[in-house]
Amino acid sequence: MLTIDDVRAAARRLGNRIHRTPVISSQSFDDASGFTVFFKCENLQRAGAFKIRGALNKLLTLTPEERARGVVAFSSGNHAQGVALAARMVGTTAVVCMPKDAPPLKVEATRNYGADIVVYDRHTDDREQVARAVMERTGRVLVPPYDDPAIMAGQGTTALELLEDVPSLDALLTPVGGGGLMAGCSTVARALFPGLQIFGVETETANDTYLSLRRGERVTIPPPPTIADGIRLTTPGALTFPILKSNLTGMLLVSDDEVRAAVRFLALRARIVVEPTGAVPAAAVLGRHLPLERGARVGVVLSGGNIEPSMLIEILKS
Amino acid sequence: MLTIDDVRAAARRLGNRIHRTPVISSQSFDDASGFTVFFKCENLQRAGAFKIRGALNKLLTLTPEERARGVVAFSSGNHAQGVALAARMVGTTAVVCMPKDAPPLKVEATRNYGADIVVYDRHTDDREQVARAVMERTGRVLVPPYDDPAIMAGQGTTALELLEDVPSLDALLTPVGGGGLMAGCSTVARALFPGLQIFGVETETANDTYLSLRRGERVTIPPPPTIADGIRLTTPGALTFPILKSNLTGMLLVSDDEVRAAVRFLALRARIVVEPTGAVPAAAVLGRHLPLERGARVGVVLSGGNIEPSMLIEILKS
């Protein structure tokens, strides 16, 4: 099982190669929500999301021989960019398998960080098999998006920083996709503040972790159509799920419209640009889904800011 | 003349009543500009701009008797909100004289902070006279927008924080309207780092300080039509100008289109929302107006983030 020492080791390893992102607050948001909210701004992280934390930590734990062989990853989104940038930072190469219909912004950014892109068809190809074929052909090391101790430990450094900056929280919220961010963050929070309430947040259609926790075991749902593309997963991770099961106070669900409202509020009132997935926990707070007393001190991880300009404009207009 | 001790006293007075705003960096911005840029995010300050620093410092230096009489200010923009919020914070009342055609967002925010609004006609009324009439009728104390030692000292705390966080800058840039922000910031920078290059930035049509420094005395220009509403002034301040004259390395000018491009870049690539005036110095860096070697370390004050949603959408679409 992951421990806070693994996360502390990751933090030492990452050092100042990545940003210590700011924690900000917004009086407007507090007035609108009734809580005192501290936003951990991973939208301002390198490559625009927390993903660089896990990816770089993983790459820094490879042997020189493994690193020389290069890495491979599959992702349509922020993990792709995180792995591409991390590879460049440690002086190795990355191949990233991305679906044909991945957001152009994310494909372009991944390529700009120097990765080779292998395109596959989401409907006819199995992405793990595509990545595995690259591994077997080239000897590259796979960097999984969440189900890996080094990835979870890296993502956990987000909470380590937040709880160092704001040691008096009543609750901590992060989005839950595969569960890597929450596995790392909840491990830190439980170790440092056993009484802290920890809530994962999903959108209503992407409720695989919500259902799995209720059932007590991993459930698979159909591919969810949610606007929050970073949590469009069908089942929790094999390694992350037991950690979430042991650490979480509960899961909260928000609608896509609540996510849009949160993105709009954060841009126009808190003056930061957050992608839909990154705004999912803020949507839970703003939408009054948090079962806490008014005035409670709530840490909210804004996990990423990589939003297509056209989508940002559409959300601001609505 | 203003000294760094005045600014240090202001910093002690303000304490933690306002945000210590984060300093962020953006690899995309650095790649696009060729410099290493540190953004001081006053768009994330309380009331969305640096103005609360000066306003609150001024109100904290009033005698209890003066404070009891309340304050009055004239402003169509961020100073109005700063004074309104500062008044609420120290437990007094504010009357703010705003032009009939002030941005609705800023009028609404000023009212929400609890200020009484007196509306005047920009074309037929003299705003100083309107404020003076309120002072005489009510005994309220005037809080000037820039030409006041306590205001300048408060604004200077912006640079004090930035230079504490990043003590190795080659240059410092702020927008210049009335000159209060730059008077305070340049006083701090000159005292701490005599070799630092200090540039004020205006838009091409709002070039009153640029012309005044070239002439060596205050020049008055016609009301400028620039998109940067916070620097739509016709002449530098009587108190601020001599300070700028003694401290500045030079003034830089940018076009309105360069300002729009900077607002767009900051929102989509650096993931922060900045109003046009706040993006003026970033526009100078992005537009290659800065006469420094590539790679120079540049501190840029993003002075505010209060942009009308319709304007933000229009800029993002262009």
Side-chain angles (χ1 to χ4, degrees), chain A residues 19 22-28 31 43-49 81 88 105 112-113 266-274 304-309 312-313 316-317, chain B residues 19 22-28 31 43-49 81 88 105 112-113 266-274 304-309 312-313 316-317:
Chain A
H19 295 322
V23 176
I24 70 168
S25 54
S26 157
Q27 190 63 51
S28 316
D31 290 345
N43 59 323
L44 305 179
Q45 184 52 271
R46 297 193 69 172
Q81 296 177 62
R88 194 177 76 177
L105 182 86
N112 283 345
Y113 288 128
L266 289 168
L268 297 177
R269 309 290 297 276
R271 303 170 190 97
I272 39 176
V273 174
V274 180
N306 295 319
I307 185 171
E308 293 282 329
L312 178 59
I313 291 166
L316 291 179
K317 278 163 84 173
Chain B
H19 295 322
V23 176
I24 70 167
S25 54
S26 157
Q27 190 63 50
S28 315
D31 290 345
N43 59 324
L44 305 179
Q45 185 52 271
R46 296 193 69 173
Q81 295 177 63
R88 194 177 75 176
L105 182 85
N112 283 344
Y113 288 127
L266 289 168
L268 297 178
R269 308 291 296 277
R271 304 171 190 96
I272 39 177
V273 174
V274 180
N306 295 319
I307 185 170
E308 293 281 331
L312 178 59
I313 291 167
L316 292 179
K317 278 163 87 173

Side-chain angles (χ1 to χ4, degrees), chain A residues 79-145:
Chain A
H79 179 59
Q81 296 177 62
V83 171
L85 175 58
R88 194 177 76 177
M89 288 169 78
V90 305
T92 187
T93 61
V95 169
V96 181
C97 309
M98 302 186 84
K100 239 195 299 210
D101 57 347
L105 182 86
K106 294 185 175 179
V107 178
E108 187 57 22
T110 305
R111 200 187 315 264
N112 283 345
Y113 288 128
D116 282 333
I117 315 284
V118 171
V119 177
Y120 67 89
D121 187 319
R122 194 197 285 272
H123 306 290
T124 58
D125 302 331
D126 175 329
R127 66 180 196 171
E128 297 209 31
Q129 229 149 41
V130 174
R132 206 157 294 280
V134 174
M135 283 170 67
E136 280 163 15
R137 208 174 55 239
T138 61
R140 289 176 180 274
V141 179
L142 182 71
V143 182

Side-chain angles (χ1 to χ4, degrees), chain A:
Chain A
M1 199 84 142
L2 191 71
T3 72
I4 189 168
D5 291 333
D6 300 321
V7 181
R8 287 202 165 115
R12 279 192 300 275
R13 214 172 279 128
L14 294 172
N16 57 10
R17 297 169 200 244
I18 59 165
H19 295 322
R20 184 181 182 107
T21 53
V23 176
I24 70 168
S25 54
S26 157
Q27 190 63 51
S28 316
F29 194 95
D30 290 355
D31 290 345
S33 69
F35 297 105
T36 302
V37 179
F38 300 87
F39 293 111
K40 176 67 172 168
C41 293
E42 288 299 296
N43 59 323
L44 305 179
Q45 184 52 271
R46 297 193 69 172
F50 71 95
K51 291 283 189 179
I52 184 69
R53 295 175 182 270
L56 184 57
N57 185 49
K58 173 75 177 176
L59 265 63
L60 290 171
T61 56
L62 297 182
T63 65
E65 187 269 327
E66 285 173 322
R67 218 184 281 174
R69 275 152 51 199
V71 297
V72 57
F74 49 88
S75 163
S76 60
N78 289 331
H79 179 59
Q81 296 177 62
V83 171
L85 175 58
R88 194 177 76 177
M89 288 169 78
V90 305
T92 187
T93 61
V95 169
V96 181
C97 309
M98 302 186 84
K100 239 195 299 210
D101 57 347
L105 182 86
K106 294 185 175 179
V107 178
E108 187 57 22
T110 305
R111 200 187 315 264
N112 283 345
Y113 288 128
D116 282 333
I117 315 284
V118 171
V119 177
Y120 67 89
D121 187 319
R122 194 197 285 272
H123 306 290
T124 58
D125 302 331
D126 175 329
R127 66 180 196 171
E128 297 209 31
Q129 229 149 41
V130 174
R132 206 157 294 280
V134 174
M135 283 170 67
E136 280 163 15
R137 208 174 55 239
T138 61
R140 289 176 180 274
V141 179
L142 182 71
V143 182
Y146 45 85
D147 247 350
D148 182 293
I151 298 290
M152 295 187 284
Q155 321 302 33
T157 60
T158 309
L160 207 56
E161 293 174 6
L162 171 58
L163 293 171
E164 223 170 78
D165 287 356
V166 192
S168 54
L169 292 177
D170 298 309
L172 174 67
L173 276 70
T174 84
V176 174
L181 174 64
M182 185 48 114
C185 287
S186 64
T187 297
V188 170
R190 273 283 159 269
L192 294 178
F193 300 98
L196 193 70
Q197 304 207 50
I198 307 174
F199 296 95
V201 192
E202 294 177 312
T203 50
E204 288 160 354
T205 59
N207 61 349
D208 55 306
T209 300
Y210 170 87
L211 292 176
S212 299
L213 283 177
R214 216 169 58 171
R215 183 83 63 87
E217 58 179 24
R218 292 162 70 211
V219 164
T220 299
I221 61 168
T226 177
I227 189 176
D229 61 309
I231 60 169
R232 259 181 222 148
L233 283 96
T234 57
T235 188
L239 298 185
T240 58
F241 182 67
I243 300 175
L244 268 52
K245 198 171 152 182
S246 124
N247 289 344
L248 292 204
T249 306
M251 288 293 299
L252 308 174
L253 298 178
V254 297
S255 70
D256 275 16
D257 278 347
E258 287 174 321
V259 173
R260 284 192 188 88
V263 169
R264 194 182 315 119
F265 196 104
L266 289 168
L268 297 177
R269 309 290 297 276
R271 303 170 190 97
I272 39 176
V273 174
V274 180
E275 63 184 283
T277 308
V280 162
V285 180
L286 212 50
R288 313 271 172 145
H289 295 288
L290 193 58
L292 293 175
E293 299 276 309
R294 279 182 69 84
R297 293 163 64 85
V298 181
V300 167
V301 178
L302 302 175
S303 57
N306 295 319
I307 185 171
E308 293 282 329
S310 57
M311 181 182 281
L312 178 59
I313 291 166
E314 181 228 300
I315 289 176
L316 291 179
K317 278 163 84 173
S318 63

